[in-house]
Amino acid sequence: MDVIKKQFKIVFDPQTEKALDKKDGWYAIAYFLYLMIFIYLLGLFMFKTSYINDLSRHFDNKYLFKNMLYFPIALLQILPVFLILYLRKQPVWTMGLTLRRLIPSIVIGIIACLPLNLTKLFNYIDHSNGFHLKGSEAFYNLVYFLVFIAFVEELIFRGFIQARVLRLVSNKYLAILIVAVMFSVMHIPFQMIKAQMGLIEFIAYDWPHLLITGLMHIYFVYIYTRTNNLVAPSIAHGLNDFIQTSIY
């Protein structure tokens, strides 16, 4: 019984907890507000102007274009995080960027994506489902989800924000729930503009997906705290998104 409890226990890196204080929590909140504004403006730029469509016409491979497009977007999302670390004189391992337990983290990440995709994988093996990407398209799409979606979101929410909100909220489970809501809310501005809906209309329409997104934060926090290395949740997150969008 103790072994089972230990496996399901969420324990954050003690060194990281010692390195942070309440001020870091407020920095995380301020950064989240920046992120929300950035994502809203990004949605307006992508869906309310023709610049992206005009630019995409110069590329034969839309997946390569997507990677090139999201490279500067990812930088604008994560550079403020590293600026805060620099100003606070904190090492990158305080947000899970470390080589410690790298191999176990890779293995855990691969295994952790399987429960999320059992039906699709079984149907694919059984030839009920197909894989609609081939060659370079599959490669670029995998890079997109692993690097520009999964790694960026894991760095921001599981690595940076979660550890720092813990300095403001002493109950770690409540802190996890709060950041789960933040993670879910973060997706609203971009998707709301894409769907051409108002805020209330979009929430009423998309609340099941928003709920699942919040639950995914809790799952990825659990995966992260197995090794306190961002590699594990980044791989699980990236492979999950890739499988969900590539197998039909």
Side-chain angles (χ1 to χ4, degrees):
M1 186 61 70
D2 289 338
V3 174
I4 295 175
K5 286 183 178 180
K6 184 178 179 180
Q7 291 302 316
F8 286 95
K9 192 174 182 180
I10 293 178
V11 179
F12 292 94
D13 180 28
Q15 287 183 297
T16 297
E17 291 184 333
K18 289 179 182 178
L20 305 176
D21 58 32
K22 284 189 175 182
K23 186 179 288 188
D24 294 299
W26 292 115
Y27 270 107
I29 299 299
Y31 168 75
F32 178 73
L33 295 176
Y34 159 83
L35 183 65
M36 291 294 292
I37 295 170
F38 174 80
I39 291 173
Y40 178 75
L41 294 176
L42 176 64
L44 291 177
F45 178 73
M46 292 190 69
F47 302 117
K48 296 295 185 179
T49 72
S50 62
Y51 293 117
I52 302 301
N53 284 332
D54 293 342
L55 188 59
S56 67
R57 292 175 187 150
H58 299 283
F59 292 83
D60 294 327
N61 190 322
K62 67 177 183 179
Y63 297 97
L64 172 60
F65 170 70
K66 189 159 57 172
N67 278 269
M68 295 179 67
L69 174 65
Y70 271 85
F71 178 74
I73 291 172
L75 286 180
L76 289 172
Q77 287 179 286
I78 65 176
L79 280 178
V81 169
F82 286 97
L83 177 60
I84 291 171
L85 257 66
Y86 174 77
L87 293 174
R88 298 289 291 156
K89 296 181 172 59
Q90 294 167 349
V92 294
W93 52 256
T94 60
M95 53 183 186
L97 288 177
T98 176
L99 294 177
R100 290 179 298 176
R101 306 191 68 186
L102 179 60
I103 301 302
S105 297
I106 294 172
V107 174
I108 289 171
I110 294 172
I111 293 173
C113 88
L114 297 179
L116 305 173
N117 297 278
L118 285 178
T119 301
K120 285 215 168 198
L121 291 173
F122 279 135
N123 288 339
Y124 178 71
I125 294 170
D126 192 42
H127 303 293
S128 299
N129 287 353
F131 193 77
H132 68 82
L133 298 178
K134 295 180 181 179
S136 63
E137 289 185 344
F139 172 75
Y140 289 128
N141 206 37
L142 179 61
V143 170
Y144 167 73
F145 282 116
L146 279 175
V147 178
F148 300 116
I149 299 299
F151 174 73
V152 170
E153 290 186 356
E154 295 306 315
L155 177 70
I156 292 171
F157 283 93
R158 264 60 75 183
F160 181 73
I161 293 179
Q162 184 64 80
R164 284 150 182 81
V165 168
L166 278 166
R167 300 300 91 204
L168 295 175
V169 182
S170 57
N171 185 308
K172 66 181 175 183
Y173 297 106
L174 178 57
I176 291 170
L177 287 176
I178 290 171
V179 182
V181 173
M182 294 169 69
F183 183 57
S184 183
V185 167
M186 180 271 295
H187 289 79
I188 292 177
F190 188 85
Q191 297 299 331
M192 176 184 72
I193 297 170
K194 183 179 180 180
Q196 299 182 8
M197 294 181 179
L199 177 61
I200 303 302
E201 181 187 10
F202 178 77
I203 293 174
Y205 164 77
D206 201 49
W207 70 264
H209 177 257
L210 294 173
L211 177 61
I212 291 171
T213 301
L215 293 174
M216 291 301 292
H217 170 76
I218 298 172
Y219 182 68
F220 290 137
V221 165
Y222 172 76
I223 300 305
Y224 172 58
T225 54
R226 298 313 89 197
T227 60
N228 284 293
N229 187 319
L230 277 184
V231 168
S234 295
I235 290 177
H237 188 164
L239 289 179
N240 173 65
D241 288 358
F242 175 72
I243 292 170
Q244 289 293 320
T245 57
S246 300
I247 296 178
Y248 59 89

